[in-house]
Amino acid sequence: PSQNHTQTEAPVTAGTRTYCVGVWLSTMMGRQRGFLLAAVGLMLLAVESACAARILLGRLPTLAHQVSGDVYLEDAETIVVENFHYDGAGPGAWFFVGTGAGGPTVATGQIAPSPDAGCLAERPGRYDGETVRVELPEGKTIADIDYFGVYCIPFRANFGHINFRLSHGTLDETPSRDTATSPFVCRANPNGGDGGDGGDGGDGGDGGDGGDGGDGGDGGDSGDGGGSADQVFNCENVHSRYNIHWSVFGDEIMVMLEGKIERSQFMAFGVSGSDAFTNMDGGDPTIAYIRDDGTASAMDYHLRSGQRQQCTNGVGVCPDDATAGGTYSDGVSLVTGERDGGVTTVSFQRPVAGNADDVAAGVDRPFLVDGSEQAFIWSIGPINPETGYAQFHDVAYPFQNFKANWTRSPPINNCTPLEKDPSVDDMPSDDEVACHEPFVVPPIANVTDFTVSIGTSAGERGYKSITGRAAWGIAWYINDRLIPEIAVERGVRYTFRVRGGNDTANLAKYHPLYITDDPQGGYFQRTSADRTERVIAGVSAGGDPLAAGELCEFQETPASVEAKETGSWDEYFATVDHSCETDPSIEPAVLEWTPDEDTPDLVYYQCFTHRNLGWKIHVFDQGAVDTSRFTTPCNTCDDECPQGGGGDGDGGDGGDGGDGGDGGDGDGGDGGDGGDGGDGGDGGDGGDSGDGGDGGDGGDGGDSGDGGNDGAGAGGNDDDTVTVRLVVAAGTTTAQARTAAASELGVSEDLVQVVDNGDGTFAVTLSGSSASSLAAQLEQAVSDRKASVGFASAVATECFAAMSDGAGVQFEKCSALSIEGVSARVFWTMRESVGVIDMAVSIDAAAGWLGFGFSEDSSLPMVGSDAVIGYHDAGAGAFRVEDRHLGAKSSGAVVVDDNQELSRTSGERGADGHITMMFRRPLKPAGSFEVLVDGATPIVYSYGTIAPSGGRFGKHAKRAFGRLNFATGAVEEGELSKWREAHGAMMTVAWGVMIPIGIRFAAFLRHKDPLWFNLHRGIQIAALALAIFAWIIGLAQIGSHTEKTHMGLGNTVMALGVLQPLNALIRPSKDGKHRKLWEFVHHWCGRIAEGLAVANIFVGLNIIDAPVGYYIAYGTFVGLLFLVTIGLYLAGYPKQCDQGKAQRVGSADSTESGGGSARGSGNHEMVERGQSTQV
């Protein structure tokens, strides 16, 4: 629509009809009336003609603040907006016109005055469907503009516009307005009109914003001049290169931060932690900056009291929505941002009152809008390029308070616009180096005792300029020197007395010292997968720091501000408060370290909890300290300070001088001087077009080295250098790995350099023209395991727990597991000295979850064990490793707890569904089962194919159990104990088969008397004896105290079973009055016992995770038994049995009558006695 326009046709209208009627009346009814009516018709025609000629330019799209409306071109100088809507809430929104293919910008457009709005002397308020006429700026016509819209100047925000630059062919023909009859209303001051003249004796009227005061009338005074055109925003200049603009609009405060800062820096502004004075602690700043891709960022932060450390796991200087301890919101809304000529401008808005929940939690601080002054905080500092979070500020309020009245009226502008430098490149550059002259801090050599404290990083000239890395605001001081380079010798013991703070609950006051090959440090901040550094000293085998000590922190004073900018290092340090180092109550931690032959030539002293706090330690052989290896700081603002120049080589005594380092884009370095009797080293090769370095001077009796060659290529020499990550077997030394790798490749050991990464891997660096091919050969040898014997002994590939991206962790030992035919692996490194074990478990099958646990007895597979379960939480989008106790065989009984005291958990579910999880647990946790250092530990492991839902796990797809010997790696696959098998088998035969059959003999074979009774009695007695034996086994040998249901049912069934033969002792006579009651109890006790027994058999099958075939087999038997029982009842067998018995008794009575009463009576008495005995 913004590109389309139409010219409205002019049909027969009311004006035409009125004119025609007037002419007709003048001829028919008199001239006077007709002429009057015709004149009215002509006027209507004129208006309609003007309207009919309007061109529809398009419809304003709603981009912000409800802006919309139909835009017409009335004449070449006038635009009409019909049905215009706008909520009036923009802090500085105007009608805006300009040129270009895009939308409104300050660079391409200008305000368009409107006669209907008083030339926008007052910015447009709320519009709800009105029509607005907008005159183009003086001297402009439609041919001079390409777009029209509503634009907020302070925030550089487009609320909605149309662009018609492709339609100029038609639009440019639009006639101009007749200025004689329709003069241009607004001219010189679109932001404010002139004040009117005062009347006689009165004062002149005040000028509008930007206008002149009117002339005073007779005896009156001249009116006041108009205010500044930029009176929407307040502004305060808090630093020579930082302006803060703001305006309160209803419930929102609009803020524009303007800073002449480096591209990698942020600007911070917000409410102070105290309304009365400027205080960072508890403050609520917004951190704003421009990313490397040119986009802007504005994030809501909170500075918790006492936590001025880097954001780590939600603790420290963190964004609200990344802060631990609750669910907090980012209340800041970015409006726009740009970087131009070295000046960064970011605009944002946020609620004045803050988020209610966050305010209640103390995370948000509201702006006071009651007219009172409120303290605020501000700063400038670096952004961490890895996390995008703010680091410690470089520039902040210098020991003074800043306050402001946020609603002051009229607005006051105390700022001077920051001057832009068109020559500044605002796009990121890989080789950009900050321009600051660093402090020259003397190095330390020939010293074995070091006092180590934490202190200020000394601003731009301190840590940042010395190292070229972002500073956090604090750094190590060693022997009263800021991050000095240190020289040490192999075989010599060194003592570091560290007072970096040991408050583990507050990372801002917890800075353990450690020595590493990583130039950044911060071991604690890295995940296990990221820990590729080699720890030299200061960290235990379990990964815990060893040297923190109580806190001694060097702090700046007011005098430090100026000295930091212009003074020398000694002058600056004299202003720093370091009195804590003489306080005897601050107890240091002691770290002793003796470099050995495997210690690299260059290591770093760093902080365990934070990155970028330390610097270099140069390691030499005894008696061979060469201070020329120390870095010489140079002024990076000086063109003579080369970037990437070659380093100087070192000549050993009696040997040749070292070669100069490869050049970057600068000149090659000079060759080192030859030692006594040796030749000078050759100069290094130059970088791009750089000149070669000069040869070093020959030592006594030696020849000068040759000069380096002119660089003509990409810098450096012709040789390649390639590093391969080599996984090694436990106990392999760097020398063994170097020898094995060189032997495998058939090259000299001089071409192979090996560094121990400290995590079971070595970094193997190959040099020479064939380095790339040698690296490929080495990697293939590892992959194929076809290397020589010596190399194979150094390479360990079987115990590397790999992730899908190739990363992973090397463990000391590993074993293969089988989960009912599915392959799985368990990895571990036993750290007996600190009482923990690091483990990983993986499965080679698609799984929804994977479990590995420990139990008291391998004969009790699942229930009662403590398991570690890993799964991907789709809802949270994260992989979870949880400690769960298996209380029973139901999903609700698999509960989360912390019995195993897990730590360092991680893992993943790969695209193929394979799961790998890692964790650390104590060998002897207080609330769980012990991992045996010697001997076999009972374990259970299983997996499920369906991911858990709502924290509840379904039944496993497969499971296994057994014992794992963590010393030898031997796995004993678990089997049900013989006693358990015997118990189950005997109970199934007794209660599941024999007793049900015996009951049915008594029920359906009574006509076969006494056969039924003999079968019934014999089967039941044998079955009960078998069941009692199985019962004793269950109580004495198995002791399944966790299977409460099975045990309860079993005890009930056995009690009923034992009572059945005992109640025969109290059986009433056949014709006794309690006989029927006895029979009822006897029959129903048997039936209840049978039912409970069958149910308990199925419970037992579930306990042992019996195969499905067991359920089918026994279920089939029970089903057939039930069908036979129903069939016999339907066939009337109980009735026929009773009739058959009656017939036999009747025959006996007849025989007795006919054959002699004595014999008959005797036989009858015998039968009665027999029946009594049988029953």
Side-chain angles (χ1 to χ4, degrees), residues 157-197:
N158 178 15
F159 292 174
H161 84 284
I162 59 173
N163 191 296
F164 38 81
R165 67 185 289 265
L166 300 180
S167 302
H168 275 300
T170 303
L171 298 178
D172 294 352
E173 299 174 359
T174 305
S176 296
R177 179 177 61 251
D178 184 356
T179 57
T181 58
S182 244
F184 199 92
V185 179
C186 294
R187 295 189 180 276
N189 294 309
N191 292 335
D194 295 339
D197 294 337

Side-chain angles (χ1 to χ4, degrees), residues 1095-1113:
N1096 209 26
I1097 288 171
F1098 284 105
V1099 172
L1101 292 175
N1102 182 59
I1103 290 173
I1104 65 172
D1105 284 320
V1108 176
Y1110 283 45
Y1111 289 90
I1112 294 175

Side-chain angles (χ1 to χ4, degrees), residues 3 79 317 462 785:
Q3 302 298 335
I79 288 176
V317 181
R785 306 186 197 182

Side-chain angles (χ1 to χ4, degrees), residues 322-406:
T323 298
T327 303
Y328 310 117
S329 62
D330 184 347
V332 172
S333 299
L334 174 70
V335 177
T336 186
E338 63 180 5
R339 181 171 171 82
D340 183 20
V343 175
T344 295
T345 304
V346 179
S347 300
F348 60 89
Q349 65 187 60
R350 57 154 288 175
V352 169
N355 178 279
D357 293 337
D358 290 1
V359 171
V363 174
D364 272 6
R365 294 268 297 148
F367 283 80
L368 301 182
V369 291
D370 56 2
S372 62
E373 287 194 333
Q374 184 179 29
F376 65 89
I377 56 177
W378 65 268
S379 66
I380 298 172
I383 285 290
N384 188 322
E386 297 182 9
T387 64
Y389 292 163
Q391 299 196 128
F392 198 85
H393 54 258
D394 298 327
V395 181
Y397 48 91
F399 303 96
Q400 67 183 83
N401 289 327
F402 284 81
K403 290 185 177 182
N405 175 0
W406 308 119

Side-chain angles (χ1 to χ4, degrees), residues 878-895:
F879 189 86
R880 298 190 182 279
V881 179
E882 296 180 344
D883 184 357
R884 296 221 172 204
H885 178 72
L886 310 184
K889 289 201 167 217
S890 64
S891 59
V894 183
V895 296

Side-chain angles (χ1 to χ4, degrees), residues 477 480-481 554 568-576 578 581:
Y477 281 70
D480 290 345
R481 301 179 189 182
F554 295 1
S568 67
W569 162 250
D570 290 335
E571 291 170 338
Y572 168 73
F573 187 69
T575 68
V576 173
H578 51 94
E581 65 180 339

